[in-house]
Amino acid sequence: MPQTDTDVLIVGAGPTGLTLAVALATQGINYRIVDGLAEGANTSRAAVVHARTLEVLAPLGVAEPLIDLGNPAARFSVRDRDRVLMTIDFTGLPTPYPYTLMVSQATTEAVLLHRLKELGGEVERPRRVTGLTREGDTAAAVLEDGSRITARWVVGADGMHSKVREAAGIPFTGAAYEESFILADVRISADVRTSTDTPADEVILYFAPAGMLVLAPLPGGVHRVVATVDRAPEHPSVGDVQSLLDARGPSRRRAVVEDLVWGSRFRVHHRIASHYREGPFLLAGDAAHVHSPAGGQGMNTGIQDAVALAEALATPDAIGRYEETRRPVAADVIRTADRLTRLATMPSWRRPMRNAALTLAGLATPMPRVLARRLSGIAYRL
C-alpha cells in the first residue's frame, strides 16, 4: 500500500467530524481534521442532545462537561395552545441520562474541541478542500492553497453539500419539503419562563390551528423557537417571532419576546446516501443523511455515526459493518422525522381530527413510550 500522510482525513469540523477526531484520538489512530472556516460557527441550529448520544460520548470524556453546561428536559409534550395532547416522558428510560439535554450546537462543538485539544489534537483551519481523487486503495485531497494530503480513508463530515460524497459519486436521494422554517433563540418574559404553561424542563411542540411551533428551554433563560412558515424572512425580527408565539404558542399567559439573540430561516430536506462507502471514501452525519428537525435527531445521529465509524476504523476488517448498522438507523430516523413533520404541517381542516387522535393515542396506546425510546435514541442501541 502506498505511504500516506495520515490514516484518516476528516473533512469537516462540525459535531460529527469533531466527535470522530476525539474517538480516533482516544484509540491512538492517526488522523487529520480540516475545515474551510477560519473558526467554528457561534450560532447553530441543533439544540438537543439525546440520551443515547450522551451514552456514546461518555467514554470519550465529553458527556459530563456537556451536561454541566446544558439544561435537562425530562419531558416532550405536544399541545394545541394550552391543551396538552400527548406527553412523552423520558424519566423512565433505561439509561443514566433519562432526559433530553438542551444545549446549543456551538456549546457542543466547543466541548468537543476542548476535549480534542486535551488529547493533543487540533483542527486545521482554514483549510478548504477543493478536490479529491482516488489513488488505488488510498485517496488524495487537494486544498485551496495547493497542498495535498493523502490518506488511507477520507471521511466526509462536510454536511449536506458534501464534496467527499460528490467526489465518491454516491447518490443522495430524496427531496425538499415545501414549507420553510424560522429558527430563533429568544428571551421571553420571566412570568412565562417560570409558569406551568411553559415548564423549564419541558420541550413543547405546539400543533396550533395556525401551524406548528416548537418552544424549547435552553440554558441562560433563552428559548429556542422553530416554526413552519410559508415564506419565512431571511432574518426574522422580534415582531416576526412574537407574531408566531401569539398565533401558535401559549394563550393563557402571553409569551412576550424581550430580546432576539439570533434568528435565521432554512429549508428542510429528507435525503439519504445510497451507500456510506466508496473505496477509501466514507460518509457520516449530514453528508450521509438529512431530515426534518422534528424530534431533534440530526446532530445526534451524526455523533452516533462518528463513534460507530471510529470503532470500525479501529478494526478495518469490520468497516463493512459501519454502513450495515448505521444506514438503517438513519433511514428509520428519516421516516420518524417525516411522519412528525407531516403531522405538524397537515392542512388546517384536518388539524382538529389530528389533535383528537393524538389525545386518544396518548391515553390508550404505547405510542408515548415508543416515541420516547426512538427520540432518545435508546431504540437504536446495538
Side-chain angles (χ1 to χ4, degrees), residues 111-132:
V111 171
L112 284 163
L113 182 59
H114 178 75
R115 180 58 179 149
L116 184 63
K117 290 179 177 179
E118 284 184 335
L119 294 166
E122 63 175 351
V123 178
E124 299 178 36
R125 297 179 181 273
R127 305 208 72 191
R128 187 179 304 278
V129 172
T130 57
L132 289 153

Side-chain angles (χ1 to χ4, degrees), residues 49-51 53-55 57-58 62-72 96-103 107-108 111 219:
V49 179
H50 286 299
T53 306
L54 291 171
E55 288 179 354
L57 288 174
V62 175
E64 293 306 318
L66 201 55
I67 292 166
D68 289 343
L69 297 170
N71 178 38
Y97 312 104
Y99 49 79
T100 287
L101 187 71
M102 301 305 303
V103 61
T107 299
T108 300
V111 171

Side-chain angles (χ1 to χ4, degrees), residues 81-104:
R81 305 303 303 263
D82 296 317
R83 182 164 67 96
V84 178
L85 306 176
M86 179 185 291
T87 298
I88 299 164
D89 193 336
F90 299 113
T91 57
L93 290 173
T95 175
Y97 312 104
Y99 49 79
T100 287
L101 187 71
M102 301 305 303
V103 61
S104 78

